[in-house]
Amino acid sequence: MEKRLRVGVLGATGMVGQRFISLLENHPWYEVVTVAASPRSAGRTYEEAVGGRWKMATQMPEAVKNLTVMNVNEVETVAASVDFVFSAVDMTKEEIKAIEEAYAKTGTPVVSNNSAHRWTPDVPMVVPEINPEHFEVIEDQKKRLGTDRGFIVVKPNCSIQSYAPVLTAWKEFEPYEVVATTYQAISGAGKTFKDWPEMVENIIPYIGGEEEKSEQEPLRLWGKIENGEIVKASEPVITCQCIRVPVLNGHTAAVFVKFRKKPTK
């Protein structure tokens, strides 16, 4: 790519925003030019706004330290400075839905890490190796939003990426029933051991909302586009238990599957 795309990170001071910034350091396609966060961080340099809350194992990239944090609510101003944004805002679901649509309506593509739009019928939730054809629904979404260029795409719950790709690879054997137990790292809660010492040598056998996401979101990945909307698949039926474990990064799943057609070795 001759010219790198100008990227903005919404919710840049939080843990997920920090992860975006660390992953984008020296990226051949993208350059972080804008960081936006809550009004209380706005006006300060990124380094000042984050302060001692930098949670990544790597150092804060030099290229972002002196960027002035913009107010994420000043949508037009932020959007004017970028080609697209990654969204990691920490708000209520309704607030996230509203602000991500507001950015899209300015003609800015929004790639979101949040769950708020995962079930919006014309917003694709994509794992590229599984359902890239869902990107086709973006044209219908643009019509609804009244935009030529802006749109929203989202990623699924991180823990389902430990088993949904494997089940996709086994589709020919017709899996119809799945029992999964996920062992989810504390980074999924936006935590490190430093700020969550209670998790050392501990497990939490229930994570609110995670079981429903883990059971339903794979069905949306395997769904089909009908009349400008993504309609989820009906099978397999998934039952899931989600456990928080004392691991910093990396989710694990133990999965039992019933197939209509017996797989060969």
Side-chain angles (χ1 to χ4, degrees), residues 234-252:
S234 57
E235 282 191 330
V237 175
I238 303 172
T239 303
C240 199
Q241 181 183 26
C242 301
I243 300 170
R244 187 75 69 197
V245 293
V247 173
L248 181 58
N249 288 304
H251 302 319
T252 306

Side-chain angles (χ1 to χ4, degrees), residues 112-162:
S112 180
N113 194 78
N114 297 303
S115 64
H117 273 295
R118 286 181 191 161
W119 290 94
T120 303
D122 58 11
V123 171
M125 178 175 73
V126 175
V127 175
E129 296 85 352
I130 295 176
N131 61 329
E133 69 279 3
H134 283 194
F135 285 129
E136 293 170 16
V137 83
I138 287 172
E139 292 308 312
D140 295 281
Q141 184 195 145
K142 285 179 179 175
K143 288 174 189 170
R144 175 175 65 84
L145 296 175
T147 172
D148 293 329
R149 185 173 177 273
F151 59 87
I152 304 164
V153 296
V154 297
K155 66 171 282 298
N157 185 291
C158 44
S159 65
I160 75 167
Q161 292 169 94
S162 57

Side-chain angles (χ1 to χ4, degrees), residues 138-260:
I138 287 172
E139 292 308 312
D140 295 281
Q141 184 195 145
K142 285 179 179 175
K143 288 174 189 170
R144 175 175 65 84
L145 296 175
T147 172
D148 293 329
R149 185 173 177 273
F151 59 87
I152 304 164
V153 296
V154 297
K155 66 171 282 298
N157 185 291
C158 44
S159 65
I160 75 167
Q161 292 169 94
S162 57
Y163 58 90
V166 180
L167 292 171
T168 304
W170 289 337
K171 261 184 159 179
E172 63 184 291
F173 302 114
E174 297 177 17
Y176 68 93
E177 193 174 318
V178 175
V179 177
T181 304
T182 61
Y183 304 93
Q184 298 184 204
I186 65 172
S187 59
K191 303 283 189 181
T192 66
F193 286 114
K194 182 179 177 182
D195 52 29
W196 201 6
E198 297 88 349
M199 271 308 299
V200 177
E201 297 186 12
N202 191 18
I203 67 165
I204 297 174
Y206 172 75
I207 310 170
E210 287 291 303
E211 290 170 2
E212 181 183 10
K213 292 175 188 175
S214 301
E215 293 169 355
Q216 294 298 315
E217 288 185 15
L219 299 176
R220 193 164 198 263
L221 292 180
W222 299 319
K224 291 186 175 146
I225 297 174
E226 294 179 11
N227 301 316
E229 297 184 352
I230 297 164
V231 179
K232 73 175 186 177
S234 57
E235 282 191 330
V237 175
I238 303 172
T239 303
C240 199
Q241 181 183 26
C242 301
I243 300 170
R244 187 75 69 197
V245 293
V247 173
L248 181 58
N249 288 304
H251 302 319
T252 306
V255 184
F256 297 83
V257 189
K258 285 185 178 178
F259 298 98
R260 287 198 176 86

